[in-house]
Amino acid sequence: MASTRQVRNIALIGFMGTGKSSVGRLIADQLRFSFLDTDELIESRAGKSISAIFADKGEAAFRKMEAAVVAELASRSRTVISTGGGVAVGPGNLDLLREHALVVCLWASPEKIWERVRGQTHRPLLREADPLNKIRELLAAREPFYKQADVLLNTEVRSVREVVQQVLHQFNLVKSQSR
Ligand code: S3P
């Protein structure tokens, strides 16, 4: 890992439904770090839900808000950051996160993701006639970005507890190497 990096935070990236928020909250509890969710921050600033932002202003406007939030995160320390599923794709976002955070990607197959999100209604990108196919397409397009993470964890073969432990292990390793 480049010595210019100052890994003070943990950033979770990955597709919708891979467990970034639930895993992130547990990691934050364990480390006594703050927890921050980029979608929640965008919603509280806009005063409306992600779905309403997409409907009123369009995806491009949402991506701009997302990039602005990512840029601000550089000032954070001792924070676990859960990012929206599209953050990794935004130009420059991953490089910005890497400057201050260990970037961990949570992974799952399209079928598993669909199983996890099918009962939920708050994701505008999945309001499609064939959501599973949409997940397959988006995941294939995003895979090269997700794979740029420092750590890639398949959540399908691990319990939430194991995922949390793996992230903590990798973070402690990086911290001990930078001492
Ligand atoms: C998106 C994922 C969502 C949210 C928005 C767009 C995406 O976040 O940011 O609906 O492009 O994959 P989650 O990954 O937390 O569901």
Side-chain angles (χ1 to χ4, degrees):
M1 201 169 285
S3 57
T4 48
R5 284 180 73 181
Q6 286 203 325
V7 176
R8 309 183 294 273
N9 306 307
I10 296 174
L12 298 176
I13 66 166
F15 207 79
M16 303 173 243
T18 50
K20 291 163 291 179
S21 298
S22 32
V23 164
R25 284 179 204 281
L26 291 168
I27 298 168
D29 282 351
Q30 295 264 337
L31 290 172
R32 295 182 203 283
F33 276 23
S34 311
F35 174 78
L36 188 151
D37 184 309
T38 58
D39 283 341
E40 282 177 8
L41 201 58
I42 292 167
E43 287 183 328
S44 75
R45 284 188 183 170
K48 51 178 129 180
S49 67
I50 303 288
S51 294
I53 298 171
F54 268 70
D56 298 349
K57 301 189 166 177
E59 181 174 353
F62 171 75
R63 298 299 173 199
K64 273 193 192 157
M65 297 164 91
E66 196 170 56
V69 164
V70 169
E72 286 168 30
L73 295 172
S75 63
R76 305 285 316 195
S77 58
R78 296 176 62 83
T79 304
V80 178
I81 302 155
S82 171
T83 65
V87 159
V89 182
N93 284 349
L94 270 183
D95 286 340
L96 281 171
L97 289 173
R98 248 193 296 268
E99 281 177 18
H100 57 87
L102 178 74
V103 180
V104 178
C105 178
L106 303 188
W107 183 264
S109 67
E111 293 72 22
K112 191 57 155 186
I113 290 168
W114 176 230
E115 195 183 302
R116 290 179 183 161
V117 303
R118 63 184 307 164
Q120 305 169 348
T121 54
H122 63 280
R123 293 183 170 100
L125 289 178
L126 300 182
R127 282 190 204 122
E128 293 272 331
D130 186 350
L132 175 56
N133 195 47
K134 180 72 180 181
I135 292 170
R136 286 199 181 106
E137 281 175 11
L138 275 176
L139 193 58
R142 291 176 177 182
E143 186 172 345
F145 297 93
Y146 291 147
K147 292 207 163 156
Q148 290 172 36
D150 298 310
V151 180
L152 186 64
L153 283 177
N154 187 345
T155 63
E156 239 175 279
V157 294
R158 294 179 172 90
S159 65
V160 169
R161 197 167 155 263
E162 283 168 336
V163 174
V164 169
Q165 274 170 355
Q166 269 299 318
V167 178
L168 289 172
H169 173 71
Q170 296 292 336
F171 186 64
N172 289 333
L173 208 63
V174 170
K175 295 305 282 176
S176 67
Q177 283 164 356
S178 65
R179 258 176 219 137

